[in-house]
Amino acid sequence: MAKDFDAPRDDGVIDNLEELNARSTSTTASAIDIDEFEAAEGLELPGADLSSERLAIPVLPPLDDEFVCTACFLVYHRSQLAGGSSALRICRDCYRT
């Protein structure tokens, strides 16, 4: 059966502003019942003490064919080293900007 989606709908239309306000306040008051402490439980603050935390993955030092960019501090393959002085180990992405 074909349905005309452009036709105006009559179901549930509220013409009275007072009825709309009464209906919206009664439903939203019960719908919004969030405990602030539960919402912030998994939130980590920037200055939090993480000394007792352990890493979930092993951290490996850079390999012989890798380098750490001195601008963005990411580990790249030697082929991403920008041309120029070898003392400044900068990746191609940081060298362009």
Side-chain angles (χ1 to χ4, degrees):
M1 178 175 144
K3 187 172 184 179
D4 185 13
F5 291 103
D6 294 328
R9 291 193 273 167
D10 295 340
D11 54 325
V13 175
I14 301 173
D15 294 330
N16 189 355
L17 182 60
E18 293 171 357
E19 183 183 346
L20 178 64
N21 286 336
R23 187 180 288 182
S24 66
T25 56
S26 65
T27 58
T28 57
S30 63
I32 302 175
D33 189 20
I34 299 173
D35 188 12
E36 294 176 7
F37 295 109
E38 287 181 15
E41 187 175 321
L43 193 65
E44 287 290 334
L45 298 176
D49 181 25
L50 301 176
S51 60
S52 63
E53 297 291 323
R54 298 190 69 89
L55 292 175
I57 58 172
V59 178
L60 302 174
L63 300 176
D64 292 337
D65 60 346
E66 294 177 335
F67 71 98
V68 178
C69 177
T70 56
C72 65
F73 303 105
L74 296 175
V75 178
Y76 289 99
H77 187 263
R78 177 177 48 207
S79 63
Q80 295 296 318
L81 187 62
S85 174
S86 62
L88 291 175
R89 296 180 159 245
I90 298 178
C91 67
R92 290 181 183 178
D93 294 332
C94 293
Y95 186 72
R96 287 185 222 157
T97 59

